Amino acid sequence: MDWYSIVKFLHVVSAILWVGGGFVLFLLGVLAERAGNIEDKLQAMRASGQLGGRFFAPMSMLTLVFGLIMCGFWVGFADLWIVIGLVGYATTFSIGMLIFKPTGERMGAMIADQGVTPAVLAIGQRMMSWARLDYAVMLVIIADMVLKPTLHDIGTLAGMAMVVALGAALAFGGSRQMVPSAA
């Protein structure tokens, strides 16, 4: 066994924990949303908020660090798939730090102050919308790491662009709301 294999193993394990764990929480939220179960949806959002800074952010950073180590020592940074992976990482990290983290903190404060209100649920719905885009980007990153496309892989690149576009459409094209009416 060589160092590259060890670093690659650590890169893949941290990516699985980051993406897989987050996906399970996202899926629980979607299932609760579809079932109309507000309490389960709030529980998934609470868990996401609690694990975001303590688990998902460190796992995403480890994924990046191990990937950068592989690039720095063995692979290089010139290949298109490396650039796509880094841009995808920057996108999902930015969504996490600029959307999920402050939104989760604001929701937690609102729930502690006012309880579960229609305003809290509306904020949670917007957070779920961003999660759809976030996981579309993560799916593209995974495909990118496995398929390693070049400029000549037009079909693969087009498919990756379509996944991001579909994620954006699902995120912002109008989704079901779980906000009870004020009647």
Side-chain angles (χ1 to χ4, degrees), residues 11 19 32 52 75 111 139 157 165 180:
H11 174 71
V19 176
V75 179
I111 290 171
L139 180 61
L157 295 170

Side-chain angles (χ1 to χ4, degrees), residues 15-16 29 40 44 47 70 89 96 105 115-116 123-125 132 156 176:
I16 289 169
D40 284 354
M70 285 189 301
Y89 178 87
E105 290 170 354
V116 177
I123 291 169
Q125 185 62 42
R132 288 177 175 90
T156 300
R176 291 178 32 192

Side-chain angles (χ1 to χ4, degrees), residues 32-160:
E33 181 179 65
R34 288 198 176 148
N37 190 327
I38 293 171
E39 188 54 43
D40 284 354
K41 184 175 177 183
L42 286 172
Q43 182 60 33
M45 287 183 203
R46 276 189 214 104
S48 296
Q50 291 169 345
L51 292 172
R54 293 184 190 128
F55 183 75
F56 297 126
M59 286 299 110
S60 76
M61 291 303 291
L62 285 173
T63 302
L64 176 66
V65 166
F66 292 131
L68 291 174
I69 290 169
M70 285 189 301
C71 288
F73 285 107
W74 297 288
V75 179
F77 293 93
D79 292 333
L80 177 62
W81 67 274
I82 298 292
V83 174
I84 292 170
L86 289 171
V87 168
Y89 178 87
T91 301
T92 191
F93 186 81
S94 296
I95 291 170
M97 296 310 290
L98 300 175
I99 305 294
F100 294 153
K101 185 178 186 307
T103 301
E105 290 170 354
R106 186 172 69 223
M107 282 180 61
M110 289 174 72
I111 290 171
D113 186 45
Q114 307 163 355
V116 177
T117 64
V120 168
L121 294 173
I123 291 169
Q125 185 62 42
R126 284 191 296 275
M127 197 162 126
M128 286 293 292
S129 293
W130 278 99
R132 288 177 175 90
L133 174 61
D134 191 49
Y135 275 94
V137 172
M138 287 188 186
L139 180 61
V140 166
I141 294 169
I142 293 166
D144 178 62
M145 294 291 115
V146 172
L147 301 174
K148 298 176 180 19
T150 67
L151 283 175
H152 302 292
D153 298 314
I154 303 300
T156 300
L157 295 170
M160 291 163 72

Side-chain angles (χ1 to χ4, degrees), residues 6-27:
I6 293 169
V7 173
K8 185 176 182 179
F9 171 77
L10 294 171
H11 174 71
V12 170
V13 167
S14 56
I16 289 169
L17 293 172
W18 167 39
V19 176
F23 184 74
V24 168
L25 290 176
F26 170 71
L27 186 58

Side-chain angles (χ1 to χ4, degrees), residues 164-179:
V164 172
L166 179 61
L170 289 173
F172 307 113
S175 57
R176 291 178 32 192
Q177 297 287 323
M178 279 189 56
V179 180

